[in-house]
């Protein structure tokens, strides 16, 4: 069915074996509504031929019942069978009829059944045509919506004007654990508590108000059939009105459990970091240029001054490091201040009051202070071998990295999602489908980044409990998790190493994925021992792919660094975190076959023969 709203006319195809009657009907209908354009045929087969013509735009069929060769009911069944994608209203207009014929017509898919009569009949026919067109458009839009909703990975629901479920897709039933039969016809109390239902009603009232938004997004807890409540975002809108009558609402849910967990983890980390600063376990400073604007007690104490805040305020930071480091410190502080929001972490040789030197690590980030650029940072004594402080430094660094990644890497997918949601609101079906598909891709991208980010944060925790891990066994078992067609694994390693079993698996899986993702075609991956005097001191994972250029071999371990269009840049960063958490060392070099070779060495726990 073509959209008559896109044209100024409504094209009606009328078929009757009486040429005089079709001419009379055309005259009366065009008199009733000057938007009607009545096309006529005298046989059912001619109607089918015209409907099969893709260039012909027909909005409605009006047919006689008794016709030679193929009657009106047979024509109706042929249209519904042979042209199922055409949402054409079909009005049966007949001089002879009965309740049985009327029932057969409606059961076969006729939109209306009208007995022929005098001139007043055509006023009724014109009214029926308008109502049937409106209903057909609503059914067509509904079918398009449900087709799209069924294809979405996000849970989708529709509530009628009484607030009862009339549609749920597979993703929603999977989320809540209820079957369709348990949800359809029920109200949201099945999956929402009183607080959540009240929130939904409150936001729906906003949409229905005269100056309300077209849709709203709010957080809600969904109660599954079993298990804990699931935090979700509910994107709610209303169904198109039929006249002035409210038809119901539609919603799309998104499980935000991982995001909420990440937010809690970041909040806890920030609170922990705040406590560290307040308890003077980390030296904190603020500078403008090279001048110290503020510092805490620990900062002064670290450089050999009385443990008081701001005893060095107004002084230059530069004399607190060796002369050879001062130019670099000045460049770094002024550079970070100028590049607002950028950060750095570098080692320096500090000079304590009285001339004693101390190795320190300095972190700096650009900020706005009283509407002017400044630098905030921390200083840690890296000579201190206390295990607790070493772990605190690692937590601080991971917090800094996590915050940077979240603010940078998720900004792109969020912008894509917002832009295509606006495009979807244009109402064009094809554009809406493409836009929603792009939104789904962008949201999936964010989910992938958040999952990788959480993994990165967890894998960096210091390994305290180790077990004997069989290298050939873990190399082969993890390969089965990632192997694809055309890939081959060769294991020459023969020993065991003390490690965290779960995290060593993540090392192999991420190194395998890196080889597979960056090689076009077949790839062979080799796992072997690193030979050294006195026995093996580590292992390597190598491939025969294109390799990694020498000038990129350090950068590949940085979070967010990737050369793949769909990569997250966290795979090798996770490997580096796990290696460091074990106290190992990793480097990348060229393999014997020209590909990439990752060498992991362990001085304290060398590889030994399997027991």
């Amino acid at each position: 069915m073509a959209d008559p709203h896109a044209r100024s006319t409504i094209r009606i195809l009328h078929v009757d074996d009486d040429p005089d009657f079709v001419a009379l009907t055309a005259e009366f209908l065009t008199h009733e509504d000057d938007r009607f354009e009545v096309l006529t045929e005298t046989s059912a087969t001619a109607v089918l031929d015209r409907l099969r013509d893709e260039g012909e735009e027909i909005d409605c069929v009006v047919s006689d019942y008794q016709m030679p060769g193929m009657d009106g009911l047979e024509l109706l069944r042929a249209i519904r069978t042979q042209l199922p994608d055409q949402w054409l209203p079909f009005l049966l207009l007949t001089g002879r009829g009965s309740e049985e014929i009327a029932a057969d017509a409606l059961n076969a898919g006729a939109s209306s059944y009208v007995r022929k009569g005098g001139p007043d009949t055509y006023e009724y026919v014109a009214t029926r045509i308008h109502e049937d067109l409106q209903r057909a458009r609503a059914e067509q839009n509904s079918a398009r919506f449900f087709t799209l909703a069924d294809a979405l990975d996000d849970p989708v629901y529709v509530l009628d004007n009484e607030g009862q479920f009339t549609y749920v897709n597979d993703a929603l039933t999977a989320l809540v654990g209820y079957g369709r039969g348990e949800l359809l016809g029920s109200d949201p109390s099945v999956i929402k508590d009183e607080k959540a239902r009240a929130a939904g009603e409150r936001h729906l009232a906003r949409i229905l108000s005269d100056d309300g938004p077209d849709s709203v997004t709010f957080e809600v807890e969904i109660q599954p059939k079993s298990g804990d409540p699931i935090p979700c975002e509910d994107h709610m809108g209303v169904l198109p009105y039929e006249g002035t009558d409210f038809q119901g609402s539609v919603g799309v849910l998104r499980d935000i459990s991982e995001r909420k967990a990440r937010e809690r983890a970041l909040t806890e980390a920030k609170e922990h970091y705040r406590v560290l600063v307040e308890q003077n376990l980390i030296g904190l400073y603020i500078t403008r240029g090279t001048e110290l604007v503020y510092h805490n007690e620990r900062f002064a104490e670290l450089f050999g001054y009385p443990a008081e805040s701001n005893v060095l305020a107004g002084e230059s930071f530069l004399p607190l490091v060796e002369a050879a480091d001062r130019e670099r410190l000045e460049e770094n502080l002024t550079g970070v201040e100028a590049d607002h929001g950028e950060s750095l972490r570098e080692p320096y040789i500090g000079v304590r009051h009285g001339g004693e030197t101390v190795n320190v690590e300095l972190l700096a980030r650009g900020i706005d202070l009283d509407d002017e650029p400044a630098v905030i940072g921390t200083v840690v004594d890296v000579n201190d071998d206390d295990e607790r402080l070493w772990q605190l430094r690692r937590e601080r660094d991971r917090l800094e990295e996590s915050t940077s990644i979240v603010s940078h890497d998720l900004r792109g997918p969020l912008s894509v999602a917002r832009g295509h949601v606006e495009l979807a609101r244009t109402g064009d079906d094809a554009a809406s489908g493409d836009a929603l598909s792009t939104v789904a891709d962008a949201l999936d991208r964010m989910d992938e980044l958040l999952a990788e980010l959480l993994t990165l944060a967890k894998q960096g925790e210091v390994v305290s409990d180790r077990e004997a891990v069989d290298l050939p066994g873990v190399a082969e078992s993890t390969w089965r998790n990632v192997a694809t067609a055309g890939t081959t694994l060769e294991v020459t390693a023969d020993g065991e190493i003390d490690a965290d079993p779960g995290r060593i698996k993540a090392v192999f899986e991420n190194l395998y994925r890196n080889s597979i993702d960056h090689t076009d075609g077949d790839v062979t991956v080799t796992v072997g021992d690193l030979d050294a005097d006195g026995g093996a001191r580590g292992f390597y994972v190598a491939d025969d792919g294109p390799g990694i250029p020498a000038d990129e071999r350090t950068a590949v371990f940085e979070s967010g660094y990737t050369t793949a269009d769909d990569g997250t840049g966290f795979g090798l960063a996770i490997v580096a975190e796990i290696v460091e958490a074990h106290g190992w060392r990793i480097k990348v070099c060229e393999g014997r076959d020209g590909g990439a070779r990752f060498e992991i060495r362990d001085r304290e726990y060398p590889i030994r023969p399997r027991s």
Side-chain angles (χ1 to χ4, degrees), residues 19-30:
D20 293 334
F21 184 75
V22 294
L24 180 65
T25 299
E27 182 176 347
F28 271 110
L29 286 178
T30 53

Side-chain angles (χ1 to χ4, degrees), residues 26-49:
E27 182 176 347
F28 271 110
L29 286 178
T30 53
H31 176 73
E32 290 294 334
D33 193 325
D34 59 8
R35 290 177 298 168
F36 287 166
E37 177 184 353
V38 182
L39 312 173
T40 61
E41 293 290 351
T42 56
S43 73
T45 54
V47 170
L48 286 174
D49 290 340

Side-chain angles (χ1 to χ4, degrees), residues 217-231:
T217 299
F218 57 97
E219 292 188 8
V220 63
E221 281 197 341
I222 298 298
Q223 306 289 329
K225 192 170 186 177
S226 62
D228 297 329
I230 304 169

Side-chain angles (χ1 to χ4, degrees), residues 55-68:
E56 188 88 60
E57 293 182 335
I58 303 297
D59 299 315
C60 178
V61 174
V62 176
S63 174
D64 186 21
Y65 171 58
Q66 287 188 320
M67 293 182 292

Side-chain angles (χ1 to χ4, degrees), residues 140-195:
Q140 185 178 28
N141 290 336
S142 178
R144 288 172 178 170
F145 167 78
F146 291 131
T147 299
L148 178 60
D150 285 336
L152 289 177
D153 292 331
D154 289 323
V156 179
Y157 67 85
V158 176
L159 302 176
D160 61 18
N161 56 1
E162 298 295 328
Q164 294 183 332
F165 287 112
T166 59
Y167 169 82
V168 292
N169 68 351
D170 290 339
L172 190 139
T173 60
L175 176 72
V176 300
Y178 288 101
R180 272 193 171 88
E182 296 176 277
L183 293 176
L184 296 180
S186 63
D187 63 50
S189 62
V190 178
I191 60 172
K192 292 182 179 180
D193 61 17
E194 183 60 35
K195 179 180 178 182

Side-chain angles (χ1 to χ4, degrees), residues 333-604:
L333 290 175
T334 55
V336 169
E337 182 178 305
D339 296 331
H340 177 67
E342 294 299 317
S343 63
L344 63 83
R345 183 174 66 246
E346 288 194 0
Y348 290 89
I349 298 177
V351 178
R352 294 168 58 87
H353 184 58
E356 181 185 356
T357 62
V358 58
N359 292 320
V360 297
E361 183 183 71
L362 181 145
L363 183 143
R365 170 176 284 276
I367 60 168
D368 279 331
L369 181 64
D370 298 331
D371 296 325
E372 293 185 14
V375 171
I376 187 170
T378 57
V379 177
V380 178
D381 181 355
V382 296
N383 286 332
D384 194 336
D385 291 330
D386 180 82
E387 181 70 8
R388 188 172 66 91
L389 288 181
W390 182 76
Q391 293 191 45
L392 292 178
R393 290 200 299 272
R394 285 179 52 76
E395 288 181 20
R396 179 206 67 185
D397 295 343
R398 287 164 53 212
L399 171 63
E400 174 70 22
E401 182 176 42
S402 298
T403 304
S404 176
I405 291 167
V406 170
S407 64
H408 180 271
D409 287 353
L410 296 187
R411 189 178 297 117
L414 279 171
S415 298
V416 171
R418 291 193 187 101
H420 284 83
V421 165
E422 292 301 319
L423 179 61
R425 290 173 177 164
T426 63
D428 179 81
D429 292 321
S432 296
D434 292 343
L436 290 174
S437 176
T438 304
V439 170
D441 290 343
L443 294 175
D444 287 343
R445 173 69 171 170
M446 286 186 281
D447 282 342
E448 184 181 9
L449 286 169
L450 288 174
E452 293 282 25
L453 179 59
L454 289 172
T455 301
L456 183 65
K458 293 176 181 177
Q459 300 291 14
E461 297 173 0
V462 176
V463 174
S464 55
D465 296 323
R466 300 173 187 249
E467 298 178 18
V469 176
D470 176 56
L471 277 178
V474 74
E476 292 169 357
S477 65
T478 53
W479 176 258
R480 290 191 290 270
N481 297 334
V482 299
T484 59
T487 62
T488 304
L489 175 68
E490 295 179 359
V491 179
T492 62
D494 184 21
E496 63 182 23
I497 190 170
D498 291 310
D500 181 310
R503 283 192 261 183
I504 195 68
K505 291 178 182 178
V507 168
F508 280 101
E509 287 177 351
N510 281 286
L511 289 177
Y512 290 158
R513 289 192 187 100
N514 182 75
S515 296
I516 293 170
D517 292 344
H518 292 83
T519 303
D520 294 329
D522 299 347
V523 61
T524 297
V525 178
T526 304
V527 177
D529 293 332
L530 288 174
D531 295 328
D533 293 338
R537 290 289 180 178
F539 61 93
Y540 68 87
V541 177
D543 61 55
D544 58 356
I548 300 173
D551 58 353
E552 297 181 17
R553 291 173 185 169
T554 301
V556 295
F557 296 109
E558 297 174 359
S559 298
Y561 181 89
T562 181
T563 58
D565 293 337
D566 58 350
T568 63
F570 290 117
L572 293 181
I574 291 172
V575 171
E577 282 285 319
I578 297 172
V579 166
E580 185 177 349
H582 280 82
W584 302 340
R585 297 291 180 268
I586 186 171
K587 76 170 184 177
V588 59
C589 54
E590 185 174 345
R592 294 176 181 174
D593 298 321
R597 175 179 166 116
F598 293 87
E599 297 183 349
I600 297 175
R601 299 180 184 274
D602 186 354
R603 295 181 180 178
E604 186 176 356

